Amino acid sequence: MRRYNAFKAVFENDAHVAFWFAGMQNGVSMDATGMVSSLTKAEKASLLAGASHWKTNSLESHGVSAVVFSDGPHGLRKQDNGADHLGIHKSNPATCFPTASALACSFNEALIEEVGAAIGEEARDQKVDVVLGPGVNMKRSPLCGRNFEYFSEDPYLSGALGTAMVRGIQSRGVGACVKHLAGNNQEHARMVGDSVIDERALREIYLAPFERVVREAKPWAVMTGYNRLNGTYCSQYPWLLRDVLRGEWGFDGAVVSDWGAMSQSVASVAAGLDVCMPGPRADHIQAIDDAVSSGGLSSDALDEAAFHVLDLERKARRGRKTPFECDYALHGEIAYRAACESAVLLENDGILPLGRAEKVAVIGSFALLPRYQGAGSSKIDPVHLDDPWSAFLDAGADVGYARGYDAASGDSSEELLKEATVLAAQSDVAVVFAGLPDRFESEGFDRKLMVMPKGHVELIERVCAANPRTVVVLQGGSPMEMPWRSRPAAILLMYLSGCRGGHAAVDILFGRVNPSGKLAETWPVRLQDTALGRSFPDTDREVLYRESIYVGYRYFDAAGIEPAYPFGFGRSYTSFSYSDPAVSFVGGGMEASCTVTNTGACEGAEAVQLYIESHGRATFGELRRLVAFSKVRLAPGESARVCMHIDEQAFRFWDSREHRWRIDEGRYGVLFCASSRDVHLTCDVVLDAGEGASPFFVETMRPCASERAALAPYYEVVPGGFSDAAFVTLFGEALPPRRPVKPFTPDSPVSDLGATFLGRQAFRIVDFLMARQAKRMSDDMKAMMDEIAADMPLRSFTSAGIPFGVVEGLVDVLNGHWVSGIARVVRPGL
């Protein structure tokens, strides 16, 4: 045993060969380990790039099959005819579940695991091996165009729900690929931007969800983000991929680039990237082969990457043999339950639930053409799709309909408004469906403002004036300003509720379902109230995360700003009381419990949220943080004991001076809450630094007076108080250098080409590439693609089938090297 442990230590201390030891510990990996030694250098290199848009390369002579990927954060997007990663081409019909922004409001890990299992079953049915999801990036600002695809502004909630989704998907013999590691928090210039994040915020906020998912769910794959992180592209950052992901967290799966994210072939493989997608990328394969031959890349790095790809293929092969059943009708019912549990009742003066005999004015195009999913790579062609209007008819309701606004643009007219107000005045109650049209939020670009379309706002105000008994049902993927929110009698938030969101909304309105969703993000009164305000998206390529750990409710609490609706908020048709709190040390952690009683007249579910606050700390920090939650369903008058486990992560913070996690001694409050601002019960616990005094390793506090003075804006947070100067001090080292426009490189964005005459002519190439796709696009999508194209790096042309050699030739020409450039364009292999 002593020799075994010594052997283990030697291997684990070498990042390039540690995978061999992992291969000795399970049969699948052992098979892959043996296979690596039987392959030639060229064969190993061929495994490191995709064969097509969705498949890896196979080695038929060795019995190695292609691994098939597909998008799928909230449903499968398998493409058999035509391929893209922006939702342009059609995909095979699949169940469209509520997006992550909606699912997170369920605060129900079991439900999300069930959704993941259903996605896994459809992946098996459509012969997909790895689902590209979930996304666990943080919601740094409500303006991020891709927020609908992410769970929360809170790292604990995102990590817990991401873990549940991965477990569900992988329970069906399909791999999950958690994304996008890391700091991928805005869409503007996402492929060339540099997320500059201080060490503590990076660890506590942006890496924490990935850490939890990797440690607890063991995903088959992790996808790197497009962006740079503190100066280095994520796909070629050894600290991120080797030191943290594999070394600290113990990840043993495959690291896959986002589609078109890889910058430099040799640097990426050396850093720990295993698969460059999409393919074909003969240039990448050749570059790796040549680098190993010349000594520019170690053979160990090549072997390690090849091992991870072979291991992924072996998992996929074994998964294909796992028995499964795929029932799309049953999945539709799961989608319905998920939509019901994810709906958040924001306001209700008692008008809801509606009476069966009431005449209802159904107003708004979203009632017929619902906004039920996001745009971009997650866009699904649903196998079935309902709408609120049909659900009203199915319920036998006495209803009338008025369009109210144009579904695509959100614009209204006096004629449409008059029709709506007349119908509302003639009805017992009006239900207005409104929110954010597709063109307001999508992958690839960020929102400029937090507003709804003017036509939607005017419609709500006019209908409320015509009939005070008005209910507003909101559809959209992100928070929106609601200057009208005091006017309706009720507001029901559905987010993007998937293919069965129509019936879910109507069943909630009529009381067949009691809403139990809680907000997984803060809804501000106005954009200026957020930590970033109108400075998001950052138009500089170097994006400074000046706010550090103060994201979402952490900022609102620290700055003393009242939100429209706080994190964790949601109403019900019943009421709940909390009593008898208790906290005890159990094993290696703590257990917190309280009694919850349904004190109302109907059955309902309550998501109990547990927060920790420090009564004294050595450094700056949030007022409180979410550390656990549990959802309980109760009949009227019923009580239940709710128990939640607390581990050391609840108390730890990252010590940037010593570059490690630590827990300080002292008194901590354990808060039993209905939201981040609604504290029902409190218990205090004391963590003592004495040996054996607590289940965690606790250390003596060491306040630093000089740090407090230098970082005053982070100790005493005021609105708008995060300056560049304060952030530089917090960052603790020189900021990454700004990237000059010239000389041009394959990483130069298309927008930089305007700096030279030749570059302006090169725009014609972009126009040509876009023209082939534009024929399939709506006007809104064309406008979106124009914005996306401006931020694309030149190397991304490879995703459109242009050889990388042509890109290199174009770069040479732009830099004035005409002869070599034209030669490379004509003969890309030179």
mmCIF file of all heavy atoms in Angstrom, residues 137 150 180-197 202 223-237 240 258 261-263 541 543 545 795:
data_model
loop_
_atom_site.group_PDB
_atom_site.id
_atom_site.type_symbol
_atom_site.label_atom_id
_atom_site.label_comp_id
_atom_site.label_asym_id
_atom_site.label_seq_id
_atom_site.Cartn_x
_atom_site.Cartn_y
_atom_site.Cartn_z
ATOM 1 N N ASN A 137 -23.486 30.198 -15.870
ATOM 2 C CA ASN A 137 -22.866 31.514 -15.742
ATOM 3 C C ASN A 137 -23.744 32.442 -14.904
ATOM 4 O O ASN A 137 -24.964 32.290 -14.854
ATOM 5 C CB ASN A 137 -22.612 32.121 -17.118
ATOM 6 C CG ASN A 137 -21.592 31.330 -17.910
ATOM 7 O OD1 ASN A 137 -21.968 30.464 -18.690
ATOM 8 N ND2 ASN A 137 -20.325 31.599 -17.707
ATOM 9 N N TYR A 150 -29.485 31.089 -18.335
ATOM 10 C CA TYR A 150 -28.769 30.864 -17.093
ATOM 11 C C TYR A 150 -29.746 30.866 -15.918
ATOM 12 O O TYR A 150 -30.816 31.462 -15.973
ATOM 13 C CB TYR A 150 -27.692 31.931 -16.889
ATOM 14 C CG TYR A 150 -26.704 32.007 -18.028
ATOM 15 C CD1 TYR A 150 -26.266 33.228 -18.530
ATOM 16 C CD2 TYR A 150 -26.223 30.845 -18.619
ATOM 17 C CE1 TYR A 150 -25.359 33.292 -19.576
ATOM 18 C CE2 TYR A 150 -25.315 30.898 -19.677
ATOM 19 C CZ TYR A 150 -24.886 32.133 -20.157
ATOM 20 O OH TYR A 150 -24.011 32.177 -21.190
ATOM 21 N N HIS A 180 -20.511 28.139 -19.455
ATOM 22 C CA HIS A 180 -19.337 28.355 -20.286
ATOM 23 C C HIS A 180 -18.230 28.829 -19.353
ATOM 24 O O HIS A 180 -18.328 29.935 -18.817
ATOM 25 C CB HIS A 180 -19.587 29.414 -21.345
ATOM 26 C CG HIS A 180 -20.838 29.231 -22.135
ATOM 27 N ND1 HIS A 180 -22.089 29.632 -21.661
ATOM 28 C CD2 HIS A 180 -21.054 28.674 -23.339
ATOM 29 C CE1 HIS A 180 -23.002 29.349 -22.568
ATOM 30 N NE2 HIS A 180 -22.416 28.755 -23.606
ATOM 31 N N LEU A 181 -17.243 28.035 -19.098
ATOM 32 C CA LEU A 181 -16.163 28.293 -18.151
ATOM 33 C C LEU A 181 -15.168 29.275 -18.770
ATOM 34 O O LEU A 181 -14.508 28.933 -19.744
ATOM 35 C CB LEU A 181 -15.477 26.978 -17.815
ATOM 36 C CG LEU A 181 -14.425 26.993 -16.716
ATOM 37 C CD1 LEU A 181 -15.075 27.208 -15.357
ATOM 38 C CD2 LEU A 181 -13.633 25.696 -16.714
ATOM 39 N N ALA A 182 -15.021 30.469 -18.230
ATOM 40 C CA ALA A 182 -15.677 31.113 -17.087
ATOM 41 C C ALA A 182 -15.663 32.612 -17.348
ATOM 42 O O ALA A 182 -14.905 33.108 -18.171
ATOM 43 C CB ALA A 182 -14.938 30.810 -15.801
ATOM 44 N N GLY A 183 -16.503 33.360 -16.602
ATOM 45 C CA GLY A 183 -16.563 34.802 -16.766
ATOM 46 C C GLY A 183 -17.207 35.225 -18.065
ATOM 47 O O GLY A 183 -16.971 36.336 -18.551
ATOM 48 N N ASN A 184 -18.045 34.362 -18.637
ATOM 49 C CA ASN A 184 -18.736 34.647 -19.896
ATOM 50 C C ASN A 184 -20.089 35.282 -19.549
ATOM 51 O O ASN A 184 -21.114 34.612 -19.537
ATOM 52 C CB ASN A 184 -18.919 33.337 -20.669
ATOM 53 C CG ASN A 184 -19.410 33.520 -22.097
ATOM 54 O OD1 ASN A 184 -19.394 32.578 -22.875
ATOM 55 N ND2 ASN A 184 -19.847 34.712 -22.446
ATOM 56 N N ASN A 185 -20.074 36.582 -19.247
ATOM 57 C CA ASN A 185 -21.254 37.223 -18.659
ATOM 58 C C ASN A 185 -21.839 38.360 -19.471
ATOM 59 O O ASN A 185 -22.727 39.055 -18.996
ATOM 60 C CB ASN A 185 -20.923 37.729 -17.252
ATOM 61 C CG ASN A 185 -20.345 36.642 -16.384
ATOM 62 O OD1 ASN A 185 -19.150 36.654 -16.088
ATOM 63 N ND2 ASN A 185 -21.155 35.688 -15.989
ATOM 64 N N GLN A 186 -21.326 38.592 -20.655
ATOM 65 C CA GLN A 186 -21.986 39.530 -21.559
ATOM 66 C C GLN A 186 -21.799 39.010 -22.979
ATOM 67 O O GLN A 186 -20.840 38.307 -23.298
ATOM 68 C CB GLN A 186 -21.444 40.949 -21.420
ATOM 69 C CG GLN A 186 -20.055 41.208 -21.995
ATOM 70 C CD GLN A 186 -19.670 42.683 -21.918
ATOM 71 O OE1 GLN A 186 -19.870 43.351 -20.915
ATOM 72 N NE2 GLN A 186 -19.095 43.207 -22.998
ATOM 73 N N GLU A 187 -22.762 39.350 -23.840
ATOM 74 C CA GLU A 187 -22.734 38.873 -25.220
ATOM 75 C C GLU A 187 -21.977 39.831 -26.128
ATOM 76 O O GLU A 187 -21.375 39.395 -27.110
ATOM 77 C CB GLU A 187 -24.167 38.682 -25.727
ATOM 78 C CG GLU A 187 -24.897 37.536 -25.046
ATOM 79 C CD GLU A 187 -24.223 36.202 -25.298
ATOM 80 O OE1 GLU A 187 -24.326 35.657 -26.409
ATOM 81 O OE2 GLU A 187 -23.564 35.690 -24.367
ATOM 82 N N HIS A 188 -22.000 41.110 -25.825
ATOM 83 C CA HIS A 188 -21.269 42.064 -26.653
ATOM 84 C C HIS A 188 -19.775 41.721 -26.649
ATOM 85 O O HIS A 188 -19.157 41.565 -25.597
ATOM 86 C CB HIS A 188 -21.465 43.487 -26.116
ATOM 87 C CG HIS A 188 -20.650 44.515 -26.833
ATOM 88 N ND1 HIS A 188 -20.948 44.945 -28.107
ATOM 89 C CD2 HIS A 188 -19.534 45.182 -26.463
ATOM 90 C CE1 HIS A 188 -20.057 45.831 -28.486
ATOM 91 N NE2 HIS A 188 -19.183 45.998 -27.504
ATOM 92 N N ALA A 189 -19.213 41.584 -27.831
ATOM 93 C CA ALA A 189 -17.784 41.273 -27.988
ATOM 94 C C ALA A 189 -17.382 40.030 -27.200
ATOM 95 O O ALA A 189 -16.264 39.936 -26.699
ATOM 96 C CB ALA A 189 -16.921 42.471 -27.580
ATOM 97 N N ARG A 190 -18.295 39.063 -27.109
ATOM 98 C CA ARG A 190 -18.040 37.904 -26.250
ATOM 99 C C ARG A 190 -16.876 37.057 -26.749
ATOM 100 O O ARG A 190 -16.256 36.340 -25.963
ATOM 101 C CB ARG A 190 -19.296 37.022 -26.182
ATOM 102 C CG ARG A 190 -19.721 36.409 -27.510
ATOM 103 C CD ARG A 190 -20.907 35.500 -27.362
ATOM 104 N NE ARG A 190 -21.324 34.940 -28.640
ATOM 105 C CZ ARG A 190 -22.181 33.930 -28.770
ATOM 106 N NH1 ARG A 190 -22.691 33.372 -27.693
ATOM 107 N NH2 ARG A 190 -22.521 33.486 -29.959
ATOM 108 N N MET A 191 -16.557 37.120 -28.040
ATOM 109 C CA MET A 191 -15.504 36.267 -28.575
ATOM 110 C C MET A 191 -14.129 36.900 -28.506
ATOM 111 O O MET A 191 -13.120 36.236 -28.774
ATOM 112 C CB MET A 191 -15.823 35.878 -30.017
ATOM 113 C CG MET A 191 -17.129 35.115 -30.162
ATOM 114 S SD MET A 191 -17.476 34.558 -31.841
ATOM 115 C CE MET A 191 -16.397 33.132 -31.961
ATOM 116 N N VAL A 192 -14.077 38.180 -28.141
ATOM 117 C CA VAL A 192 -12.782 38.869 -28.071
ATOM 118 C C VAL A 192 -12.604 39.641 -26.770
ATOM 119 O O VAL A 192 -11.519 40.164 -26.492
ATOM 120 C CB VAL A 192 -12.609 39.837 -29.268
ATOM 121 C CG1 VAL A 192 -12.518 39.062 -30.571
ATOM 122 C CG2 VAL A 192 -13.748 40.851 -29.330
ATOM 123 N N GLY A 193 -13.654 39.729 -25.951
ATOM 124 C CA GLY A 193 -13.574 40.502 -24.725
ATOM 125 C C GLY A 193 -12.736 39.822 -23.660
ATOM 126 O O GLY A 193 -12.532 38.607 -23.677
ATOM 127 N N ASP A 194 -12.254 40.629 -22.722
ATOM 128 C CA ASP A 194 -11.423 40.134 -21.623
ATOM 129 C C ASP A 194 -12.138 40.436 -20.306
ATOM 130 O O ASP A 194 -12.278 41.600 -19.923
ATOM 131 C CB ASP A 194 -10.052 40.813 -21.651
ATOM 132 C CG ASP A 194 -9.081 40.242 -20.625
ATOM 133 O OD1 ASP A 194 -9.470 39.315 -19.885
ATOM 134 O OD2 ASP A 194 -7.931 40.725 -20.570
ATOM 135 N N SER A 195 -12.622 39.409 -19.633
ATOM 136 C CA SER A 195 -13.281 39.582 -18.339
ATOM 137 C C SER A 195 -12.214 39.701 -17.257
ATOM 138 O O SER A 195 -11.553 38.712 -16.924
ATOM 139 C CB SER A 195 -14.199 38.393 -18.040
ATOM 140 O OG SER A 195 -15.228 38.304 -19.003
ATOM 141 N N VAL A 196 -12.042 40.899 -16.723
ATOM 142 C CA VAL A 196 -11.013 41.164 -15.718
ATOM 143 C C VAL A 196 -11.688 41.120 -14.351
ATOM 144 O O VAL A 196 -12.422 42.034 -13.972
ATOM 145 C CB VAL A 196 -10.330 42.515 -15.966
ATOM 146 C CG1 VAL A 196 -9.194 42.727 -14.962
ATOM 147 C CG2 VAL A 196 -9.789 42.585 -17.401
ATOM 148 N N ILE A 197 -11.448 40.037 -13.610
ATOM 149 C CA ILE A 197 -12.170 39.750 -12.374
ATOM 150 C C ILE A 197 -11.174 39.567 -11.237
ATOM 151 O O ILE A 197 -10.201 38.822 -11.378
ATOM 152 C CB ILE A 197 -13.024 38.470 -12.523
ATOM 153 C CG1 ILE A 197 -13.864 38.524 -13.805
ATOM 154 C CG2 ILE A 197 -13.909 38.266 -11.306
ATOM 155 C CD1 ILE A 197 -14.643 37.248 -14.079
ATOM 156 N N LEU A 202 -13.895 36.064 -8.487
ATOM 157 C CA LEU A 202 -13.782 34.934 -9.404
ATOM 158 C C LEU A 202 -14.064 33.631 -8.671
ATOM 159 O O LEU A 202 -14.823 32.779 -9.158
ATOM 160 C CB LEU A 202 -12.379 34.920 -10.020
ATOM 161 C CG LEU A 202 -12.106 33.841 -11.067
ATOM 162 C CD1 LEU A 202 -13.060 33.943 -12.233
ATOM 163 C CD2 LEU A 202 -10.650 33.933 -11.552
ATOM 164 N N MET A 223 -17.470 22.960 -21.164
ATOM 165 C CA MET A 223 -17.217 23.824 -22.320
ATOM 166 C C MET A 223 -16.551 25.114 -21.868
ATOM 167 O O MET A 223 -16.991 25.750 -20.912
ATOM 168 C CB MET A 223 -18.532 24.153 -23.038
ATOM 169 C CG MET A 223 -18.360 25.049 -24.258
ATOM 170 S SD MET A 223 -19.951 25.579 -24.960
ATOM 171 C CE MET A 223 -20.541 24.018 -25.618
ATOM 172 N N THR A 224 -15.499 25.512 -22.575
ATOM 173 C CA THR A 224 -14.833 26.773 -22.277
ATOM 174 C C THR A 224 -15.589 27.936 -22.902
ATOM 175 O O THR A 224 -16.223 27.803 -23.939
ATOM 176 C CB THR A 224 -13.388 26.780 -22.802
ATOM 177 O OG1 THR A 224 -13.404 26.589 -24.234
ATOM 178 C CG2 THR A 224 -12.567 25.679 -22.167
ATOM 179 N N GLY A 225 -15.490 29.098 -22.267
ATOM 180 C CA GLY A 225 -16.136 30.294 -22.787
ATOM 181 C C GLY A 225 -15.379 30.877 -23.963
ATOM 182 O O GLY A 225 -14.209 30.550 -24.213
ATOM 183 N N TYR A 226 -16.045 31.765 -24.688
ATOM 184 C CA TYR A 226 -15.408 32.461 -25.807
ATOM 185 C C TYR A 226 -14.367 33.463 -25.322
ATOM 186 O O TYR A 226 -13.376 33.724 -25.996
ATOM 187 C CB TYR A 226 -16.466 33.241 -26.594
ATOM 188 C CG TYR A 226 -17.309 32.415 -27.523
ATOM 189 C CD1 TYR A 226 -18.686 32.324 -27.351
ATOM 190 C CD2 TYR A 226 -16.738 31.747 -28.602
ATOM 191 C CE1 TYR A 226 -19.472 31.585 -28.223
ATOM 192 C CE2 TYR A 226 -17.513 31.009 -29.472
ATOM 193 C CZ TYR A 226 -18.882 30.927 -29.286
ATOM 194 O OH TYR A 226 -19.657 30.190 -30.146
ATOM 195 N N ASN A 227 -14.584 34.042 -24.186
ATOM 196 C CA ASN A 227 -13.867 35.231 -23.737
ATOM 197 C C ASN A 227 -12.473 34.946 -23.218
ATOM 198 O O ASN A 227 -12.097 33.801 -22.935
ATOM 199 C CB ASN A 227 -14.669 35.901 -22.620
ATOM 200 C CG ASN A 227 -14.955 34.929 -21.485
ATOM 201 O OD1 ASN A 227 -15.728 33.996 -21.647
ATOM 202 N ND2 ASN A 227 -14.331 35.140 -20.343
ATOM 203 N N ARG A 228 -11.715 36.030 -23.068
ATOM 204 C CA ARG A 228 -10.498 35.973 -22.265
ATOM 205 C C ARG A 228 -10.883 36.109 -20.802
ATOM 206 O O ARG A 228 -11.892 36.723 -20.466
ATOM 207 C CB ARG A 228 -9.535 37.104 -22.627
ATOM 208 C CG ARG A 228 -8.884 37.001 -24.006
ATOM 209 C CD ARG A 228 -7.887 38.154 -24.188
ATOM 210 N NE ARG A 228 -7.147 38.056 -25.437
ATOM 211 C CZ ARG A 228 -7.481 38.671 -26.562
ATOM 212 N NH1 ARG A 228 -8.561 39.447 -26.570
ATOM 213 N NH2 ARG A 228 -6.771 38.534 -27.653
ATOM 214 N N LEU A 229 -10.064 35.572 -19.944
ATOM 215 C CA LEU A 229 -10.230 35.724 -18.503
ATOM 216 C C LEU A 229 -8.913 36.242 -17.952
ATOM 217 O O LEU A 229 -7.889 35.548 -18.011
ATOM 218 C CB LEU A 229 -10.607 34.391 -17.855
ATOM 219 C CG LEU A 229 -10.736 34.380 -16.331
ATOM 220 C CD1 LEU A 229 -11.829 35.346 -15.882
ATOM 221 C CD2 LEU A 229 -11.022 32.978 -15.820
ATOM 222 N N ASN A 230 -8.941 37.469 -17.472
ATOM 223 C CA ASN A 230 -7.729 38.116 -16.938
ATOM 224 C C ASN A 230 -6.556 38.018 -17.909
ATOM 225 O O ASN A 230 -5.422 37.727 -17.522
ATOM 226 C CB ASN A 230 -7.377 37.531 -15.573
ATOM 227 C CG ASN A 230 -8.394 37.907 -14.516
ATOM 228 O OD1 ASN A 230 -9.117 38.891 -14.648
ATOM 229 N ND2 ASN A 230 -8.475 37.118 -13.455
ATOM 230 N N GLY A 231 -6.868 38.258 -19.185
ATOM 231 C CA GLY A 231 -5.822 38.372 -20.195
ATOM 232 C C GLY A 231 -5.609 37.168 -21.073
ATOM 233 O O GLY A 231 -4.921 37.279 -22.098
ATOM 234 N N THR A 232 -6.144 36.014 -20.725
ATOM 235 C CA THR A 232 -5.891 34.783 -21.481
ATOM 236 C C THR A 232 -7.206 34.154 -21.904
ATOM 237 O O THR A 232 -8.138 34.061 -21.098
ATOM 238 C CB THR A 232 -5.101 33.777 -20.624
ATOM 239 O OG1 THR A 232 -3.897 34.392 -20.161
ATOM 240 C CG2 THR A 232 -4.753 32.538 -21.431
ATOM 241 N N TYR A 233 -7.264 33.701 -23.159
ATOM 242 C CA TYR A 233 -8.468 33.022 -23.613
ATOM 243 C C TYR A 233 -8.739 31.795 -22.743
ATOM 244 O O TYR A 233 -7.824 31.044 -22.406
ATOM 245 C CB TYR A 233 -8.333 32.599 -25.080
ATOM 246 C CG TYR A 233 -8.714 33.697 -26.047
ATOM 247 C CD1 TYR A 233 -7.750 34.331 -26.830
ATOM 248 C CD2 TYR A 233 -10.040 34.102 -26.173
ATOM 249 C CE1 TYR A 233 -8.095 35.341 -27.715
ATOM 250 C CE2 TYR A 233 -10.392 35.109 -27.055
ATOM 251 C CZ TYR A 233 -9.420 35.727 -27.818
ATOM 252 O OH TYR A 233 -9.774 36.730 -28.682
ATOM 253 N N CYS A 234 -10.006 31.608 -22.395
ATOM 254 C CA CYS A 234 -10.367 30.491 -21.511
ATOM 255 C C CYS A 234 -9.934 29.143 -22.086
ATOM 256 O O CYS A 234 -9.569 28.237 -21.333
ATOM 257 C CB CYS A 234 -11.882 30.484 -21.266
ATOM 258 S SG CYS A 234 -12.485 31.895 -20.317
ATOM 259 N N SER A 235 -9.983 29.008 -23.390
ATOM 260 C CA SER A 235 -9.640 27.716 -24.005
ATOM 261 C C SER A 235 -8.148 27.450 -24.010
ATOM 262 O O SER A 235 -7.723 26.352 -24.392
ATOM 263 C CB SER A 235 -10.175 27.671 -25.445
ATOM 264 O OG SER A 235 -9.621 28.723 -26.219
ATOM 265 N N GLN A 236 -7.338 28.423 -23.586
ATOM 266 C CA GLN A 236 -5.887 28.178 -23.540
ATOM 267 C C GLN A 236 -5.279 28.732 -22.251
ATOM 268 O O GLN A 236 -4.159 29.209 -22.227
ATOM 269 C CB GLN A 236 -5.202 28.789 -24.767
ATOM 270 C CG GLN A 236 -5.364 30.285 -24.924
ATOM 271 C CD GLN A 236 -4.861 30.771 -26.279
ATOM 272 O OE1 GLN A 236 -5.237 30.250 -27.328
ATOM 273 N NE2 GLN A 236 -3.985 31.764 -26.275
ATOM 274 N N TYR A 237 -6.049 28.593 -21.163
ATOM 275 C CA TYR A 237 -5.628 29.137 -19.866
ATOM 276 C C TYR A 237 -5.255 27.963 -18.955
ATOM 277 O O TYR A 237 -6.127 27.342 -18.342
ATOM 278 C CB TYR A 237 -6.770 29.938 -19.269
ATOM 279 C CG TYR A 237 -6.393 30.889 -18.151
ATOM 280 C CD1 TYR A 237 -7.338 31.751 -17.624
ATOM 281 C CD2 TYR A 237 -5.104 30.936 -17.612
ATOM 282 C CE1 TYR A 237 -7.025 32.630 -16.591
ATOM 283 C CE2 TYR A 237 -4.782 31.799 -16.595
ATOM 284 C CZ TYR A 237 -5.743 32.650 -16.087
ATOM 285 O OH TYR A 237 -5.417 33.510 -15.065
ATOM 286 N N LEU A 240 -6.739 27.893 -15.385
ATOM 287 C CA LEU A 240 -8.160 27.578 -15.320
ATOM 288 C C LEU A 240 -8.424 26.098 -15.579
ATOM 289 O O LEU A 240 -9.159 25.437 -14.827
ATOM 290 C CB LEU A 240 -8.925 28.432 -16.337
ATOM 291 C CG LEU A 240 -10.440 28.250 -16.394
ATOM 292 C CD1 LEU A 240 -11.087 28.724 -15.099
ATOM 293 C CD2 LEU A 240 -11.011 29.017 -17.593
ATOM 294 N N ASP A 258 -16.130 26.123 -26.857
ATOM 295 C CA ASP A 258 -17.367 26.601 -27.454
ATOM 296 C C ASP A 258 -17.130 26.684 -28.960
ATOM 297 O O ASP A 258 -15.994 26.748 -29.424
ATOM 298 C CB ASP A 258 -17.757 27.970 -26.889
ATOM 299 C CG ASP A 258 -19.249 28.259 -27.026
ATOM 300 O OD1 ASP A 258 -19.911 27.597 -27.858
ATOM 301 O OD2 ASP A 258 -19.754 29.138 -26.322
ATOM 302 N N ALA A 261 -14.501 29.000 -30.467
ATOM 303 C CA ALA A 261 -13.862 29.757 -29.383
ATOM 304 C C ALA A 261 -12.352 29.606 -29.337
ATOM 305 O O ALA A 261 -11.669 30.445 -28.752
ATOM 306 C CB ALA A 261 -14.440 29.325 -28.033
ATOM 307 N N MET A 262 -11.809 28.530 -29.919
ATOM 308 C CA MET A 262 -10.375 28.296 -29.776
ATOM 309 C C MET A 262 -9.575 29.342 -30.538
ATOM 310 O O MET A 262 -9.860 29.649 -31.689
ATOM 311 C CB MET A 262 -10.012 26.903 -30.295
ATOM 312 C CG MET A 262 -8.586 26.509 -29.956
ATOM 313 S SD MET A 262 -7.985 25.162 -30.986
ATOM 314 C CE MET A 262 -7.867 25.966 -32.584
ATOM 315 N N SER A 263 -8.542 29.855 -29.878
ATOM 316 C CA SER A 263 -7.707 30.883 -30.495
ATOM 317 C C SER A 263 -6.455 30.280 -31.129
ATOM 318 O O SER A 263 -6.241 30.424 -32.329
ATOM 319 C CB SER A 263 -7.314 31.929 -29.444
ATOM 320 O OG SER A 263 -6.383 32.837 -29.957
ATOM 321 N N ARG A 541 -12.888 46.388 -24.776
ATOM 322 C CA ARG A 541 -12.554 44.965 -24.883
ATOM 323 C C ARG A 541 -12.150 44.413 -23.521
ATOM 324 O O ARG A 541 -12.349 43.238 -23.235
ATOM 325 C CB ARG A 541 -11.397 44.776 -25.875
ATOM 326 C CG ARG A 541 -11.743 45.200 -27.290
ATOM 327 C CD ARG A 541 -12.589 44.172 -28.012
ATOM 328 N NE ARG A 541 -13.317 44.771 -29.113
ATOM 329 C CZ ARG A 541 -12.751 45.188 -30.242
ATOM 330 N NH1 ARG A 541 -11.453 45.066 -30.416
ATOM 331 N NH2 ARG A 541 -13.479 45.730 -31.184
ATOM 332 N N VAL A 543 -13.099 44.236 -19.959
ATOM 333 C CA VAL A 543 -14.294 44.447 -19.147
ATOM 334 C C VAL A 543 -13.924 44.306 -17.677
ATOM 335 O O VAL A 543 -13.661 43.192 -17.196
ATOM 336 C CB VAL A 543 -15.397 43.433 -19.520
ATOM 337 C CG1 VAL A 543 -16.651 43.684 -18.692
ATOM 338 C CG2 VAL A 543 -15.702 43.511 -21.006
ATOM 339 N N TYR A 545 -14.629 44.027 -13.912
ATOM 340 C CA TYR A 545 -15.711 43.652 -12.998
ATOM 341 C C TYR A 545 -15.546 44.450 -11.704
ATOM 342 O O TYR A 545 -15.232 43.910 -10.640
ATOM 343 C CB TYR A 545 -15.675 42.150 -12.732
ATOM 344 C CG TYR A 545 -16.213 41.301 -13.862
ATOM 345 C CD1 TYR A 545 -15.807 41.507 -15.185
ATOM 346 C CD2 TYR A 545 -17.112 40.280 -13.621
ATOM 347 C CE1 TYR A 545 -16.297 40.731 -16.220
ATOM 348 C CE2 TYR A 545 -17.613 39.492 -14.655
ATOM 349 C CZ TYR A 545 -17.200 39.722 -15.953
ATOM 350 O OH TYR A 545 -17.683 38.951 -16.977
ATOM 351 N N ARG A 795 -10.928 34.475 -36.969
ATOM 352 C CA ARG A 795 -10.814 33.018 -36.931
ATOM 353 C C ARG A 795 -12.168 32.329 -36.933
ATOM 354 O O ARG A 795 -12.267 31.140 -37.267
ATOM 355 C CB ARG A 795 -10.031 32.578 -35.698
ATOM 356 C CG ARG A 795 -10.598 33.054 -34.388
ATOM 357 C CD ARG A 795 -9.792 32.554 -33.194
ATOM 358 N NE ARG A 795 -10.013 33.371 -32.018
ATOM 359 C CZ ARG A 795 -11.087 33.317 -31.238
ATOM 360 N NH1 ARG A 795 -12.049 32.444 -31.522
ATOM 361 N NH2 ARG A 795 -11.191 34.103 -30.189
#
